[in-house]
Amino acid sequence: MTYTFQRFEAEITDALVATGLIAAEEIELAAPKATNVVADLALPCFRAAKARGTNPAQLAQDLVAAWQAPADGLVERAEVSGPYVNFFLNKAAFAPAVLRDVAERASGYGCSELGSGKRVIVEYSSPNIAKRMHVGHIRSTIIGQALANLYACLGYEVIRDNHLGDYGKQFGVNIAATLHYGRPEAEGEAALAALEEQYKTYNQLMKGKSEDDPDYDPDAELAMDDNARAWSLKLEQGDPQALELWEWMVELTKTANQRNYDRLGVQFDVQHGESFYKDMLGQIISDAGESGVAERDNGAVVIKELTDAKGKKLPLFLLQRSDGGTLYITRDVATIKYREDTYNPDTVIYIVGQPQELHFRQTFALSKALGYTDAKLIHVAFGTVFDDQGQALSTRKGNMVYLEILLDDAHIRAKALIEQKVVEGKTTLTPAQIAEIAEMVGVGAVIYNDLYQDTKRNITLDWERMLAFEGNSAPYLQYMHARCCSIIREAGAVPAEYDGTLLTHEAETGLLKEIARLPQIVREAAERFAPFVVADWLYATARAFSAFYDACSVLKAASPELRAARLHLVEATAQALRNGLMLLSIRAPERM
Ligand code: ARG
């Protein structure tokens, strides 16, 4: 099925080709960029005119003179504007066509089959075992989920992969500490916090330093004592007790994280950790040696001469240490090979913070140099999170925010706001409804704060803005959706029969045009790996609804026919807003 705007374009193209003055491949229609041009689409005539040795303004005039479009189609008229031909929508035909699109596809409105037959791996979240997720993992989770939703909506087969950090020497310390202090009693994020705490105190014990010590540094490379070192080695060699303790930590972490994932609507298809690829590392190192990309240097394996996709020289890096140990990058290259061999993906998208940008350029360049994959490899980098005092969140500074606490906090704050509305008599809700809505609004606010601007930008945890019922926030969008639902509830029923051609008021057309854009918005957001494109659209659509609602009364419309048509517009708006929010994994309550 094609959507209304696509049909509008197709009608224009057909009519232009029928003039015999221009060929289909010369036609490039675009929305006019200048804000003072009111046209819906424009054809620049420069290229075609040049090919014919005429001037663009002349060609524009000839095209319009010869122009003949179907009378009851989507195109109302064509007009010359200097070197352009401007095209205008037939409002009366446009409105019912858009409403039909929405009604026919309902929760699938906006989606298409563009990507069918293609496979995309989205790797996101990827927290570390025996630790809580910090803000970097939270951002990755939220951005990755939105991108997975977008690609699925476009008909791609999406594999959601959580690349857990479950490999490394630190697990020797974790095991030694657990044997020393015992397994924590707590569950959820609290259990992970307890493991972190044990790790820290054990580390201090080994160094003979306490946190009060002026040169104590929790982030410093761990001073492995003999015991921890021995456990690390045993784990590597597959000692049953070491493995059992490690597996217990993996399960504890996964279970704790899943509670938060459930609240965010996140479900993975694959959760292999880094350790899953450990048996491939030897082959990666020998392939790199044989291909001549890697050199031996004092026992270590080094990559010295490598350029990235843009031809820029990359700084030297290690693939194997002189003690035989492998590195983070060795495992990432192995992962790429495994994914190619197992899934043969068209695209692999990594959602990881900006500080790992060089790491991924090196990983991608080496994987390509070794011929491991022909997939498109994309690193979607994101910025840091600041608190409302303008401080970057960090474990070091002690202002770190963890996921469970963040979501709980959001819930409590949203609940207070909704209760306030109830007290003020602005809405009536039962306690159960309040709790349910508070969860949707609170979690929605957290998600939207991550997605409303370019992922590269830093974000701020500013509750006041995040939870504002006005402005570019999730609660505002959810509130506009709930407004639509309440209008429909008040109307009692939406009449099955209606005449969409009545919807020609400027505010109605404005709203319909926003709704009609959703399919191309989904495409653009996926192509640019940019969920904010959907967020921008949601905000524009919510405002267009608000403008419509101010200008046109629905329940008290001038005639029953107009009332019925407007109710359908309200219903379509609710559906479109809901679909857009769902693409970001934000739920839309029916009342607020
Ligand atoms: N676990 C890593 C961290 O917390 C992120 C992993 C990102 N993905 C990857 N393929 N390297 O920093």
Side-chain angles (χ1 to χ4, degrees):
M1 146 173 183
T2 53
Y3 287 110
T4 300
F5 263 142
Q6 286 169 284
R7 294 202 298 277
F8 177 54
E9 251 192 88
E11 281 185 24
I12 293 171
T13 306
D14 289 349
L16 284 171
V17 171
T19 62
L21 298 171
I22 192 165
E25 56 280 4
E26 290 173 314
I27 300 172
E28 261 179 70
L29 297 161
K33 286 202 182 63
T35 42
N36 58 342
V37 181
V38 286
D40 296 299
L41 275 177
L43 172 77
C45 297
F46 307 98
R47 210 158 56 97
K50 201 171 170 198
R52 281 161 187 72
T54 161
N55 76 64
Q58 184 60 50
L59 179 60
Q61 281 179 18
D62 295 347
L63 283 169
V64 172
W67 167 266
Q68 261 185 320
D72 49 359
L74 286 164
V75 199
E76 186 206 61
R77 64 182 203 281
E79 232 172 48
V80 180
S81 171
Y84 294 91
V85 183
N86 287 338
F87 301 95
F88 297 84
L89 277 165
N90 172 1
K91 291 179 189 169
F94 178 64
V98 176
L99 295 181
R100 212 175 312 118
D101 282 354
V102 180
E104 268 174 22
R105 306 250 339 202
S107 64
Y109 173 69
C111 296
S112 62
E113 292 76 39
L114 197 78
S116 78
K118 293 207 192 101
R119 192 173 281 162
V120 175
I121 299 177
V122 185
E123 190 214 274
Y124 61 112
S125 195
S126 310
N128 299 320
I129 296 303
K131 283 185 177 175
R132 290 169 288 178
M133 285 194 218
H134 59 59
V135 283
H137 303 121
I138 300 174
R139 289 213 70 183
S140 172
T141 307
I142 290 171
I143 297 165
Q145 182 62 34
L147 291 175
N149 294 342
L150 283 163
Y151 276 87
C153 176
L154 289 175
Y156 288 83
E157 185 195 334
V158 179
I159 299 171
R160 298 161 184 81
D161 191 346
N162 190 5
H163 191 72
L164 301 166
D166 64 352
Y167 191 99
K169 290 217 168 57
Q170 68 272 26
F171 293 104
V173 181
N174 272 316
I175 292 173
T178 304
L179 290 170
H180 189 79
Y181 300 107
R183 301 187 189 200
E185 295 287 329
E187 32 172 302
E189 209 169 65
L192 305 181
L195 285 183
E196 283 175 32
E197 193 56 34
Q198 284 188 353
Y199 180 100
K200 212 162 85 180
T201 35
Y202 190 85
N203 223 6
Q204 286 162 8
L205 200 72
M206 290 190 307
K207 292 192 204 167
K209 281 193 181 138
S210 88
E211 236 177 307
D212 308 326
D213 218 310
D215 50 44
Y216 166 72
D217 176 3
D219 297 334
E221 204 178 325
L222 26 139
M224 293 277 266
D225 78 341
D226 291 343
N227 193 27
R229 201 185 310 276
W231 278 111
S232 166
L233 198 67
K234 279 193 203 171
L235 181 60
E236 226 167 89
Q237 292 162 346
D239 170 88
Q241 194 189 358
L243 266 182
E244 197 269 326
L245 278 160
W246 174 83
E247 270 160 19
W248 162 77
M249 280 186 273
V250 172
E251 280 318 305
L252 189 76
T253 311
K254 276 190 181 172
T255 311
N257 289 341
Q258 192 58 48
R259 302 216 298 211
N260 300 324
Y261 289 147
D262 287 344
R263 295 175 76 179
L264 291 168
V266 172
Q267 199 77 47
F268 293 101
D269 303 302
V270 184
Q271 295 205 65
H272 294 323
E274 288 179 39
S275 69
F276 179 83
Y277 307 95
K278 65 175 182 300
D279 295 335
M280 294 173 64
L281 304 178
Q283 198 203 327
I284 305 299
I285 293 162
S286 71
D287 284 356
E290 269 168 37
S291 74
V293 196
E295 298 171 32
R296 286 250 166 221
D297 196 333
N298 288 320
V301 178
V302 191
I303 311 286
K304 288 184 181 162
E305 295 293 330
L306 199 63
T307 51
D308 71 7
K310 290 192 185 120
K312 271 215 192 117
K313 194 173 174 321
L314 290 164
L316 161 160
F317 60 97
L318 289 184
L319 210 51
Q320 187 172 35
R321 276 194 292 261
S322 51
D323 67 2
T326 56
L327 293 101
Y328 180 51
I329 196 163
T330 326
R331 297 187 289 279
D332 259 323
V333 174
T335 307
I336 287 180
K337 177 165 169 44
Y338 174 85
R339 286 178 180 155
E340 177 69 35
D341 298 348
T342 312
Y343 307 110
N344 186 24
D346 295 278
T347 306
V348 187
I349 309 170
Y350 295 76
I351 296 90
V352 187
Q354 201 281 327
Q356 296 196 31
E357 202 248 4
L358 175 61
H359 165 78
F360 283 106
R361 279 202 292 139
Q362 291 173 324
T363 303
F364 296 170
L366 182 56
S367 305
K368 291 288 184 191
L370 297 178
Y372 281 166
T373 188
D374 52 12
K376 235 200 289 170
L377 304 172
I378 307 288
H379 174 206
V380 175
F382 54 80
T384 325
V385 185
F386 288 87
D387 66 16
D388 55 4
Q389 311 295 311
Q391 294 284 322
L393 299 182
S394 93
T395 325
R396 195 75 182 269
K397 279 191 235 140
N399 64 346
M400 184 49 84
V401 170
Y402 299 97
L403 186 47
E404 187 173 305
I405 295 169
L406 179 68
L407 297 181
D408 285 350
D409 199 7
H411 181 113
I412 291 165
R413 288 169 191 267
K415 192 161 170 238
L417 287 176
I418 296 161
E419 279 166 347
Q420 181 65 28
K421 283 196 167 228
V422 175
V423 170
E424 286 167 5
K426 289 186 183 150
T427 180
T428 40
L429 298 165
T430 67
Q433 283 173 326
I434 292 175
E436 208 189 334
I437 297 166
E439 179 73 4
M440 297 193 208
V441 172
V443 173
V446 169
I447 295 177
Y448 197 73
N449 192 43
D450 255 295
L451 300 179
Y452 80 102
Q453 43 179 8
D454 193 330
T455 55
K456 281 197 272 307
R457 302 198 34 193
N458 299 327
I459 60 168
T460 306
L461 274 182
D462 173 355
W463 288 109
E464 210 156 303
R465 187 184 42 72
M466 287 160 69
L467 284 169
F469 282 87
E470 289 294 329
N472 194 2
S473 68
Y476 172 70
L477 302 172
Q478 289 170 318
Y479 181 60
M480 284 300 156
H481 170 264
R483 276 288 274 287
C484 294
C485 296
S486 99
I487 294 168
I488 290 168
R489 268 196 309 275
E490 247 180 87
V494 180
E497 295 293 324
Y498 72 102
D499 178 3
T501 63
L502 299 175
L503 299 171
T504 52
H505 186 285
E506 200 185 333
E508 292 165 334
T509 308
L511 175 56
L512 283 156
K513 280 187 192 172
E514 290 301 340
I515 296 174
R517 279 170 64 213
L518 183 59
Q520 75 206 44
I521 287 294
V522 175
R523 276 210 311 266
E524 187 191 331
E527 262 162 35
R528 294 173 63 187
F529 310 101
F532 80 85
V533 171
V534 176
D536 280 353
W537 173 85
L538 278 165
Y539 189 42
T541 305
R543 275 176 310 166
F545 171 73
S546 176
F548 154 75
Y549 197 63
D550 286 345
C552 310
S553 45
V554 179
L555 298 175
K556 294 197 185 105
S559 69
E561 291 76 21
L562 190 56
R563 181 177 181 275
R566 284 185 177 162
L567 277 172
H568 276 270
L569 176 54
V570 173
E571 205 172 43
T573 307
Q575 182 74 64
L577 285 174
R578 197 154 58 230
N579 293 4
L581 287 166
M582 278 313 294
L583 283 167
L584 308 183
S585 281
I586 298 173
R587 289 182 293 160
E590 287 186 9
R591 31 182 111 225
M592 263 173 87

